[in-house]
């Protein structure tokens, strides 16, 4: 079999992995194809994009250096190279100067404008980042990339105090890509800070959508609570991925308990004593979590085989379920 045929098979394997949303496998397959076709710009771009999505910035940096030797003006590789360096060396002044020079030299290149905005935002200069983000949003023709541009521009606007612009950009991003996790969560942050509970809590449900960086899996044979009456029946409250959200939403537990026949609460081990002391009567158990690559698997061997809860809900969805029951949530800020 020729090297070209081998490369084509590897590329097809990578495309198949992308359809399964298996980004690590796709990157590995494209890397194999690149070994057969060294210097292939299309493959270099594809691998760079995957490494960016996976957050593998050290590998991304090396790959972009290799690619830019062959194609020094390639906008995709230059963009990802600046991205990798910004993540690896935050606050690097020469990097900001380089991004400013690229944006000035390529005023019609949306990637150059966006990357300058991103680096300024990460340097704490949200107001200054608004100008390049605005240019990038006006210039970008790729509708798949536009929601990310709008979301990051909205973050700059929000930090700069321009709430109206942030809201408008996020509304547009969500309209373009309703399943875009980052756009929905960014809009949730703004809406919840403004006390707009209905849409804010609906948007916050987007945290349950698949993510490139982590996947939450529950080895649990219970239905998810959809708001049906639970009088006399127990409800399992499942831990969120991150102790901060568990603390944030724990204040909703007393109101939730009033709607049920009792709560079984799964949480981070260090929160167990706190919840047991502050809310007597709760059954509290430390989460049993296993990390496998980007998967976070929660196990429930500790649930009793008899008298098990009727259904479950995640900590972060309690406020939405309460609102659906006509109970406004307490402040979540």
């Amino acid at each position: 079999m020729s090297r070209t045929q081998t490369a084509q098979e590897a590329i097809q394997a990578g495309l198949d992995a992308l359809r399964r949303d298996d980004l690590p496998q796709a990157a590995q397959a494209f890397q194999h194809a690149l070994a057969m076709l060294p210097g292939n710009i299309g493959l270099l771009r594809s691998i760079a994009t995957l490494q960016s999505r996976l957050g593998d910035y050290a590998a991304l940096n090396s790959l972009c250096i290799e690619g830019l030797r062959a194609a020094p003006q390639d906008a995709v590789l230059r963009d990802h190279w600046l991205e990798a360096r910004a993540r690896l060396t935050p606050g690097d002044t020469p990097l900001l100067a380089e991004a400013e020079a690229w944006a000035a030299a390529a005023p019609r290149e949306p990637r150059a404008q966006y990357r300058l905005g991103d680096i300024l935002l990460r340097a704490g200069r949200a107001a200054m980042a608004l100008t390049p983000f605005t240019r990038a949003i006006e210039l970008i023709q790729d509708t798949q990339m536009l929601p990310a541009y709008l979301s990051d521009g909205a973050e700059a606007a929000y930090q700069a105090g321009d709430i109206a612009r942030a809201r408008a950009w996020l509304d547009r991003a969500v309209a373009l890509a309703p399943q875009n996790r980052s756009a929905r969560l960014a809009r949730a942050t703004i809406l919840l800070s403004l006390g707009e509970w209905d849409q804010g809590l609906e948007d916050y449900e987007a945290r349950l959508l698949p993510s490139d960086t982590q996947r939450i899996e529950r080895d649990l044979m219970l239905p998810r609570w959809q708001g049906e009456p639970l009088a006399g029946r127990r409800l399992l409250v499942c831990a969120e991925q991150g102790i901060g959200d568990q603390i944030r939403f724990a204040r909703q537990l007393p109101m939730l308990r009033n709607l049920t026949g009792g709560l079984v609460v799964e949480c981070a081990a260090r929160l167990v004593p706190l919840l047991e002391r502050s809310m007597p009567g709760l059954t509290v158990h430390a989460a049993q979590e296993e990390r496998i690559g980007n998967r976070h698997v929660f196990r429930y061997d500790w649930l009793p085989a008899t008298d098990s809860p009727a259904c479950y809900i995640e900590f972060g969805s309690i406020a939405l379920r309460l609102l659906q029951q006509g109970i406004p949530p307490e402040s979540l800020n």
Side-chain angles (χ1 to χ4, degrees), residues 147-192:
Y149 280 37
L150 289 163
S151 295
D152 290 344
E155 177 62 25
Y158 183 67
Q159 290 189 23
D162 191 344
I163 304 301
R165 189 188 320 204
R167 175 74 183 271
W169 276 349
L170 287 171
D171 285 347
R172 186 178 170 194
V174 172
L176 286 168
Q179 297 303 302
N180 185 294
R181 187 175 186 269
S182 61
R184 293 276 304 282
L185 288 177
R187 191 170 69 172
T189 298
I190 291 178
L191 295 178
L192 293 177

Side-chain angles (χ1 to χ4, degrees), residues 243-301:
I243 193 170
D245 280 347
Q246 295 173 49
I247 294 172
R248 182 186 188 195
F249 289 100
R251 71 189 70 177
Q252 314 296 319
L253 289 173
M255 289 180 287
L256 179 64
R257 182 169 51 184
N258 293 336
L259 300 178
T260 73
L263 295 181
V264 179
V265 179
E266 173 198 42
C267 63
R270 52 188 155 159
L271 287 183
V272 172
L274 174 63
L275 291 182
E276 287 180 333
R277 286 196 307 270
S278 59
M279 300 180 198
L282 290 185
T283 300
V284 187
H285 200 285
Q288 294 182 358
E289 179 187 0
E290 180 182 7
R291 298 194 179 191
I292 307 171
N294 69 334
R295 296 165 55 215
H296 298 261
V297 183
F298 288 87
R299 311 285 186 190
Y300 294 90
D301 297 340

Side-chain angles (χ1 to χ4, degrees), residues 187-248:
R187 191 170 69 172
T189 298
I190 291 178
L191 295 178
L192 293 177
S193 73
L194 298 173
E196 296 188 27
W197 304 120
D198 295 79
Q199 188 60 63
L201 292 172
E202 287 286 354
D203 281 347
Y204 191 67
E205 291 292 278
R207 77 194 187 284
L208 303 175
L209 294 172
S211 165
D212 293 343
T213 57
Q214 66 175 21
R215 293 179 177 276
I216 307 300
E217 299 178 12
R218 300 192 185 276
D219 185 17
L220 185 61
M221 301 300 291
L222 293 177
R224 189 167 187 260
W225 183 41
Q226 302 298 327
E228 65 273 16
L230 285 177
R233 296 191 295 165
R234 293 198 302 162
L235 174 67
L236 170 64
V237 178
C238 290
E240 291 280 351
Q241 180 54 41
I243 193 170
D245 280 347
Q246 295 173 49
I247 294 172
R248 182 186 188 195

Side-chain angles (χ1 to χ4, degrees), residues 18 45 78 97 124 197 205-206 248 286 308:
L18 282 178
R45 288 172 176 165
R78 180 179 289 269
W197 304 120
E205 291 292 278
R248 182 186 188 195
S308 178

Side-chain angles (χ1 to χ4, degrees), residues 107-111 113-114 130-142 145-147 149-150 153 165 169 172:
R108 303 296 300 171
E109 172 52 62
R111 287 180 178 272
Q113 305 304 318
Y114 168 80
L130 277 177
T131 297
F133 273 134
T134 301
R135 290 175 183 157
I137 289 166
E138 291 171 349
L139 290 168
I140 187 68
Q141 298 295 313
D142 187 333
M145 293 176 63
L146 179 55
Y149 280 37
L150 289 163
R165 189 188 320 204
W169 276 349
R172 186 178 170 194

Side-chain angles (χ1 to χ4, degrees), residues 108-124:
R108 303 296 300 171
E109 172 52 62
R111 287 180 178 272
Q113 305 304 318
Y114 168 80
R115 190 53 56 196
L116 174 57
D118 175 71
I119 291 173
L120 285 167
L121 178 60
R122 290 178 178 277

